[in-house]
Amino acid sequence: MRTLIANIGTLVSGDVAAPLADADQILVEDGRIAAVGRGLAADGDVDRVIDAHGSTAIPGLIDSHAHPVFGDFTPRQRTIDFIESGLHGGVTTVISAGEVHLPGRPKDIVGLKALAIVAAKSYQNLRPAGVKVHAGAPILELGMEEHDFREMAAAGVTLVGEIGLGSVKTGPQAAPMVVWAKAHGMTVTFHTGGPSIAGSSAIGADAVLEARPHIVGHINGGTTAMPDGDIERLVASDMAIEVVHCGNGRAALHAVRAAAGLGALERVIIGNDAPSGTGVVPLGILRVIAHLASLGGIAPEVAIAMATGNTARVHGLDVGVIAPGRAADICLVDAPVGSAAGTALDALAIGDLPGISMILIDGEIRVGRSRNTPPAGRAAELVAAEAGGAAAPAPGGH
Ligand SMILES: [Zn+2]
């Protein structure tokens, strides 16, 4: 199956080092990006053509910090289909920071390992609405030993949920476990800031600097942020810096400005931290991008890279960048109807959320007009399909 996306007005690559590509077409072959450029497939040998009508192509967004449990239901807010709803906000990949909302979540070591393994395996077998969910992120408890990490890794667990939600909270407690997790190929996040739920405690820069996870979890708090001095010390490290929607908006700007000052924008990644007490927020990732682009002095295409290519690099995923060989997870977006801006990037720069008119995952059209974003000024459409072949675009929503 060969799909040509043509008449792209602006192509945002997701690569923070070269965030805008000089191209107006993307050629997709068997679910992967085959070429990015101009005058592609000039021989006309394609199965279908999507006309972007001058709108903007961006990589499918990655939510670096979610709290799924099983399937597309969250016990935290008693909501079904929140992952499908987030897809309508452009999120094609979701990364769990811990399945902490499981009713009766086990905190003994056998139980927490079992939960992580089942969560990892169940989402390997299930893509809600097509969304790629990476879950099975154990919450560390005191008493865990290296063989526990080896056993989980052998069963397919690739993540450690945000440290600090369990009994492991301090630098000395966490540091050896982080070493074991890294040795077994897991990507590790450490919660920072005030507690999200009663019973846990605040975590500052000292514990995280001692433990050396890959990711400083929600550096702007989830929901209560650390003092500015702690944020600055962590930004000055070499760890990935995560900014979340369900955190402190002022602290997010402080962290990102500090990262810009150090020339470290490639280490900033964006998460939602939902479902949570804040709610289910389908447009959360888009809202953080608009926040950073309109108030944080970050170029919109760089803010998009923080929610795509940067996160893919930290987690070693084959998504998040529009480049040959990557999975064809692509959103077509434009300035919303009624915006003072004329393009998606100009809309983000003034704080408006773009409208999404089409989303592809692995080259398949999963969403037509988003039911959650405002309507896009210019909407992509499927204009040519092989006779009797490709399906029509998914019906739009409202
Ligand atoms: Zn947290």
Side-chain angles (χ1 to χ4, degrees):
M1 170 69 84
R2 281 159 64 91
T3 302
L4 182 68
I5 307 174
N7 294 324
I8 296 166
T10 304
L11 201 153
V12 177
S13 70
D15 175 3
V16 72
L20 294 173
D22 178 21
D24 64 0
Q25 294 184 335
I26 302 168
L27 182 65
V28 175
E29 217 169 281
D30 298 328
R32 300 216 156 248
I33 295 167
V36 179
R38 298 177 187 276
L40 306 176
D43 56 4
D45 181 21
V46 294
D47 301 300
R48 54 185 185 178
V49 176
I50 293 165
D51 189 337
H53 288 298
S55 62
T56 297
I58 68 173
L61 303 177
I62 305 172
D63 177 355
S64 74
H65 193 125
H67 289 296
V69 176
F70 294 124
D72 203 353
F73 168 68
T74 167
R76 187 73 170 85
Q77 296 298 342
R78 287 81 160 163
T79 302
I80 59 167
D81 295 344
F82 72 99
I83 295 171
E84 187 260 2
S85 205
L87 173 63
H88 281 256
V91 175
T92 55
T93 294
V94 169
I95 298 167
S96 176
E99 296 77 38
V100 290
H101 301 147
L102 179 78
R105 176 170 63 89
K107 293 170 183 163
D108 63 292
I109 293 169
V110 168
L112 77 88
K113 286 191 295 185
L115 171 57
I117 292 166
V118 174
K121 287 181 184 286
S122 68
Y123 282 112
Q124 285 162 13
N125 293 331
L126 172 76
R127 286 187 179 179
V131 174
K132 300 167 179 175
V133 180
H134 299 270
I139 299 301
L140 302 188
E141 301 286 353
L142 293 172
M144 294 182 73
E145 297 175 354
E146 179 168 15
H147 67 86
D148 296 313
F149 294 86
R150 185 187 317 124
E151 187 180 329
M152 287 190 288
V157 173
T158 61
L159 300 165
V160 169
E162 48 181 328
I163 298 171
L165 300 194
S167 54
V168 174
K169 299 176 188 302
T170 68
Q173 291 166 347
M177 296 190 191
V178 172
V179 169
W180 297 329
K182 286 181 173 179
H184 292 287
M186 299 176 177
T187 303
V188 183
T189 298
F190 208 135
H191 170 102
T192 66
S196 315
I197 45 176
S200 45
S201 47
I203 291 168
D206 287 335
V208 180
L209 287 168
E210 181 165 0
R212 311 300 298 183
H214 297 90
I215 299 166
V216 178
H218 48 56
I219 195 164
N220 62 317
T223 57
T224 310
M226 293 177 286
D228 286 354
D230 284 46
I231 291 174
E232 290 158 19
R233 289 173 61 205
L234 289 168
V235 170
S237 75
D238 59 358
M239 292 178 272
I241 301 300
E242 179 180 73
V243 171
V244 299
H245 179 267
C246 300
N248 176 316
R250 190 202 65 86
L253 299 181
H254 188 74
V256 170
R257 288 185 184 125
L262 293 172
L265 294 179
E266 82 284 354
R267 285 194 283 112
V268 180
I269 65 175
I270 295 175
N272 201 340
D273 201 2
S276 62
T278 305
V280 165
V281 192
L283 302 185
I285 302 297
L286 278 178
R287 285 172 53 81
V288 177
I289 293 170
H291 185 63
L292 301 183
S294 60
L295 298 175
I298 304 297
E301 62 272 20
V302 171
I304 290 169
M306 293 172 177
T308 56
N310 283 3
T311 317
R313 180 175 2 92
V314 170
H315 282 278
L317 303 177
D318 69 343
V319 299
V321 179
I322 298 180
R326 296 281 180 140
D329 298 356
I330 298 163
C331 297
L332 296 169
V333 299
D334 197 22
V337 172
S339 174
T343 67
L345 295 184
D346 288 348
L348 287 166
I350 62 169
D352 282 340
L353 302 186
I356 296 174
S357 66
M358 189 177 288
I359 300 174
L360 295 89
I361 298 178
D362 292 335
E364 289 305 313
I365 299 169
R366 287 288 183 165
V367 169
R369 271 192 187 269
S370 163
R371 70 164 188 271
N372 287 335
T373 66
R378 291 166 293 184
E381 60 177 340
L382 183 63
V383 292
E386 190 180 41
H398 53 79

